[in-house]
Amino acid sequence: MQINNESTNVILPPKTIGIIGGGQLGRMMAIAARYMGYRVVVLDPTAHSPAAQVADQQIVASYDNMDAIKDLTDISDVVTYEFENVDLKAAAYIEQQGKLPQGAYALEITQNREKEKELMKELALPVPRFSIVKNSQECKKALKTISFPAVIKTCRGGYDGKGQVKLTSEKDIPHALVFAEQNDHCIIEQWITFDKEISIVFTRSQSGDITFFPIAENYHKDHILFQTTVPALVSEHVYKKGVDAAATLAEKMNIVGTFAIEMFVQGDEIYLNEMAPRPHNSGHYSIEACSVSQFTQHINAVCGLPLKDVTLLQQATMINVLGEDLDGVLKALPTLGNGFVHLYGKDTVKPKRKMGHITFTAETLAELIEYTSRFKEATQ
């Protein structure tokens, strides 16, 4: 697919922004847009989705329903998306109508781990050693060239630890062979023993201007992001490498809107992991901790407006609220003086499902640690 190089098209309030996807990212995009005076219409197969609760209108249909996609495009002056697994045929149609400034190319790349890694490799960016396999025989051959530990992942789909298996030793080879045979198109990567994981979230305008949010340091539990703290404790060398790598990808992919790249830090080296062509869980802290949020900046970009300067106002920690945490969090709310609570309005509570997040801000790291420790104790 071709990268969209059309000139900037300015969309002013009260025109309509269409959002593909009705989850929490769409919800926070919609809130930012509504604050600015835009109308919002959401396409999602689930009625009364989190984003639809704060939108003007919802189209209830599957993401690949072309009649619904055409309706969304007709109603909207500009269209964006809250997740990367948008149907490419649908994205191409909206782009052809001149209403998808982000284009379909970023989706095409980020939907496929092979294309992601090959692009990074082409740009000489640091990535773990990897091999692409399409059956058990190719998998067996590839594992002879990659040392353990390693990880095998599906090339398409998968999130929060789903669609992947860690391979710690030769004893795990049978599991890998079965996984490869079942999933057809997989990537095997060298496992990186890292000091920390960071996220680089940035926004790029239609004219090519780019602003970076403070680099975030992530902590996971059971392969799901649990906590993000800014600013990340990284060296100037790591900071520069990360920002330079992100800028290289942004330019090559002609990114428009907010975009995130996860990276591993090993000493003074970085390794790029995965990309997300939209606002990211690890950027939620920006709502309270920055001069502009990742969501407002995203709306500015897709609507052709100038980007705001990004300043970190206070240090911050964002903690995800999963289904199993919700009762404890609600119990702690009456005593929670320093946290900003965001619940997403999801009707069904499930273990490991992201139900909301809480952001703590403070002048010092010591205060931040005190606030988050007190919160964790209160929710037990």
Side-chain angles (χ1 to χ4, degrees):
M1 293 186 181
Q2 296 298 312
I3 295 176
N4 178 17
N5 284 313
E6 293 181 1
S7 60
T8 301
N9 182 23
V10 178
I11 306 298
L12 297 174
K15 290 188 176 180
T16 300
I17 299 172
I19 301 176
I20 301 176
Q24 63 264 25
L25 295 178
R27 179 187 180 96
M28 288 180 273
M29 279 184 201
I31 290 171
R34 292 291 296 273
Y35 266 122
M36 295 170 69
Y38 290 98
R39 290 179 53 82
V40 176
V41 57
V42 172
L43 171 63
D44 193 272
T46 303
H48 199 59
S49 63
Q53 293 166 22
V54 296
D56 296 279
Q57 182 179 348
Q58 179 179 6
I59 298 172
V60 181
S62 63
Y63 302 125
D64 60 354
N65 183 319
M66 287 306 298
D67 288 336
I69 289 292
K70 289 175 182 177
D71 286 345
L72 178 72
T73 307
D74 289 343
I75 294 169
S76 305
D77 296 286
V78 67
V79 177
T80 185
Y81 43 79
E82 67 139 14
F83 65 105
E84 52 268 39
N85 291 316
V86 175
D87 181 78
L88 287 180
K89 180 182 175 184
Y93 171 81
I94 303 169
E95 185 174 14
Q96 288 162 9
Q97 308 311 305
K99 294 186 177 182
L100 189 70
Q102 291 164 273
Y105 178 72
L107 291 170
E108 181 183 349
I109 296 297
T110 56
Q111 284 181 10
N112 189 307
R113 289 188 172 100
E114 178 181 4
K115 291 183 177 182
E116 268 192 342
K117 286 297 191 293
E118 290 292 354
L119 177 61
M120 293 172 183
K121 186 176 177 181
E122 174 192 330
L123 296 172
L125 299 175
V127 294
R129 188 175 180 182
F130 69 93
S131 293
I132 304 299
V133 300
K134 296 185 177 177
N135 54 51
S136 58
Q137 289 302 312
E138 290 183 4
C139 178
K140 189 174 183 179
K141 183 178 179 181
L143 288 173
K144 291 179 180 178
T145 65
I146 293 182
S147 59
F148 294 97
V151 61
I152 183 169
K153 305 176 183 178
T154 57
C155 278
R156 293 182 63 86
Y159 63 96
D160 290 342
K162 300 177 178 69
Q164 61 179 271
V165 175
K166 185 179 179 182
L167 311 173
T168 57
S169 69
E170 291 184 358
K171 292 181 181 179
D172 293 320
I173 289 178
H175 297 297
L177 300 181
V178 170
F179 186 92
E181 201 65 39
Q182 289 176 339
N183 291 286
D184 298 325
H185 188 193
C186 301
I187 183 170
I188 300 175
E189 296 179 5
Q190 193 74 57
W191 184 269
I192 298 296
T193 303
F194 55 90
D195 301 321
K196 59 188 65 178
E197 183 195 277
I198 60 173
S199 292
I200 295 186
V201 178
F202 64 86
T203 310
R204 187 171 182 269
S205 71
Q206 295 179 43
S207 60
D209 294 330
I210 187 167
T211 59
F212 288 90
F213 288 88
I215 294 180
E217 186 171 331
N218 300 325
Y219 172 68
H220 290 75
K221 274 187 180 179
D222 301 323
H223 305 289
I224 300 173
L225 181 64
F226 172 66
Q227 180 173 309
T228 294
T229 298
V230 289
L233 299 177
V234 296
S235 67
E236 284 294 326
H237 180 72
V238 165
Y239 179 91
K240 187 175 187 309
K241 273 192 170 183
V243 167
D244 287 350
T248 298
L249 279 165
E251 186 70 22
K252 176 67 175 180
M253 297 173 70
N254 195 27
I255 296 303
V256 172
T258 296
F259 194 96
I261 308 173
E262 296 173 338
M263 304 181 186
F264 299 127
V265 178
Q266 186 184 70
D268 263 350
E269 301 300 321
I270 61 167
Y271 295 90
L272 278 65
N273 184 24
E274 294 178 353
M275 305 187 289
R278 35 76 179 172
H280 194 260
N281 193 173
S282 62
H284 291 350
Y285 71 85
S286 62
I287 297 172
E288 284 85 23
C290 292
S291 52
V292 60
S293 78
Q294 62 168 343
F295 300 101
T296 297
Q297 200 77 310
H298 180 76
I299 297 300
N300 285 332
V302 298
C303 289
L305 299 173
L307 302 182
K308 310 297 185 188
D309 291 337
V310 177
T311 303
L312 182 64
L313 304 176
Q314 284 191 311
Q315 298 185 53
T317 293
M318 185 280 305
I319 298 174
N320 272 331
V321 177
L322 303 183
E324 62 268 33
D325 306 323
L326 186 57
D327 285 344
V329 169
L330 292 174
K331 179 184 174 184
L333 279 187
T335 62
L336 192 62
N338 296 98
F340 297 88
V341 180
H342 299 256
L343 296 180
Y344 302 146
K346 295 182 179 180
D347 292 334
T348 306
V349 180
K350 296 179 183 178
K352 308 305 177 190
R353 190 182 194 195
K354 293 172 185 172
M355 304 302 297
H357 73 268
I358 296 179
T359 300
F360 295 89
T361 61
E363 293 293 338
T364 67
L365 182 59
E367 287 178 313
L368 203 56
I369 292 172
E370 179 187 347
Y371 295 156
T372 56
S373 298
R374 197 181 301 163
F375 165 71
K376 290 171 185 176
E377 289 174 7
T379 58
Q380 298 303 313

